[in-house]
């Protein structure tokens, strides 16, 4: 559920209380992870990091797995634990989930199941041919998601797509966190 807040002018804006960040823990998702932590820090929202393993992308022609699902799960758990720790050090209530299935549909289903007000997702910026061949999770989530969706493309920051002025009171973050020397 989205809580709203009004100021003395009667302006009401949605304040996210629960933010879901979809991540595959790759470099392309780093911007979305950072933006999710920054947004949650700004508004005092709780944070859920979701990673979806698509077993169909782990198969070779002929049906054999080039990587087992349990191996991918172990890698993701390790990476997500670090991201959650980073968020918690900034005072954000954070957890992670790992699902199996179609990434786009799973992100939408998880956001509904977890009561997320906002979904933050990264983009690989593959271009039209890459999207045709590999699909676009961010495009699917934007098209089918019920709530607000923030897409972070490579090189973008939260303020590029959701400026602090859009938040109630127009204030920026009270903390300027960094991860690996890079502002979040």
């Amino acid at each position: 559920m989205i809580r709203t807040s009004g100021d003395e002018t009667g302006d009401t804006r949605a304040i996210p209380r629960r933010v879901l960040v979809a991540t595959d823990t790759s470099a392309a998702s780093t911007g979305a992870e950072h933006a999710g932590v920054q947004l949650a820090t700004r508004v005092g929202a709780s944070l859920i990091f979701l990673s979806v393993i698509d077993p169909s992308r782990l198969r070779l022609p002929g049906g054999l797995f080039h990587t087992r699902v349990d191996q991918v799960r172990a890698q993701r758990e390790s990476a997500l634990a670090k991201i959650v720790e980073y968020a918690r050090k900034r005072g954000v209530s954070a957890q992670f989930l790992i699902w199996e299935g179609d990434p786009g549909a799973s992100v939408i289903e998880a956001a509904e199941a977890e009561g997320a007000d906002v979904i933050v997702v990264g983009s690989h910026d593959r271009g039209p041919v890459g999207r045709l061949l590999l699909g676009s999770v961010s495009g699917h989530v934007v098209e089918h998601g019920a709530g607000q969706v923030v897409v972070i493309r490579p090189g973008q920051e939260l303020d590029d797509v959701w400026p602090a002025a859009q938040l109630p009171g127009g204030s920026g973050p009270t903390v300027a966190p960094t991860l690996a020397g890079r502002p979040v």
Side-chain angles (χ1 to χ4, degrees), residues 124-184:
H124 288 270
D125 239 2
R126 288 188 175 111
V129 174
R131 282 191 302 273
L132 180 63
L133 294 174
L134 297 172
S136 170
V137 173
S138 59
H140 182 86
V141 173
V142 166
E143 186 175 332
H144 300 288
Q148 296 180 19
V149 176
V150 178
V151 176
I152 305 291
R153 289 184 167 70
Q156 284 186 322
E157 300 288 332
L158 178 65
D159 284 336
D160 296 331
V161 294
W162 190 328
Q166 289 182 356
L167 296 171
S171 62
T174 56
V175 182
T178 61
L179 179 61
R182 192 170 156 233
V184 177

Side-chain angles (χ1 to χ4, degrees), residues 70-119:
D70 62 318
Q71 293 170 322
V72 175
R73 179 177 294 279
Q75 292 167 347
R76 301 252 178 116
E77 284 178 0
S78 176
L80 289 166
K82 291 175 186 174
I83 298 165
V84 166
E85 179 184 353
Y86 167 75
R88 288 178 179 168
K89 284 182 179 179
R90 274 131 195 91
V92 176
S93 172
Q95 64 183 15
F96 72 83
L97 302 170
I98 299 177
W99 283 27
E100 288 183 33
D102 175 77
S106 294
V107 168
I108 292 168
E109 187 178 334
E112 290 174 10
E114 296 296 325
D117 304 313
V118 176
I119 300 170

